[in-house]
Amino acid sequence: MSEHDYPPESEPHGRTCQWCHGSGYVTRALAYSPGPDPFTGPAETVHRAGQCRHCRGSGDYDSDLDPTL
């Protein structure tokens, strides 16, 4: 089957944020290196969910509200 055999899906209302895909949260990686010099040695990495900075957690992207622009 080709892509022309399927009917197009409806677009969601508003503009879905392309960075968080409408969830309002993104994964952030935090690294910790024990010792006096944090730039040497192995680091422990933790992944946590954080609020998307582009849509401010709403899931709908609006360029007027984007603090990174």
Side-chain angles (χ1 to χ4, degrees):
M1 296 189 111
S2 70
E3 64 184 353
H4 300 290
D5 295 338
Y6 299 104
E9 295 180 13
S10 63
E11 291 291 322
H13 298 293
R15 294 182 292 174
T16 304
C17 180
Q18 65 181 351
W19 291 274
C20 67
H21 305 285
S23 68
Y25 294 94
V26 292
T27 303
R28 297 187 184 197
L30 306 171
Y32 171 73
S33 269
D37 187 7
F39 300 106
T40 60
E44 297 177 20
T45 307
V46 177
H47 293 273
R48 298 210 172 135
Q51 183 180 17
C52 179
R53 68 180 88 169
H54 299 280
C55 67
R56 296 184 179 174
S58 69
D60 295 327
Y61 180 73
D62 185 6
S63 61
D64 294 334
L65 299 176
D66 192 348
T68 61
L69 294 179

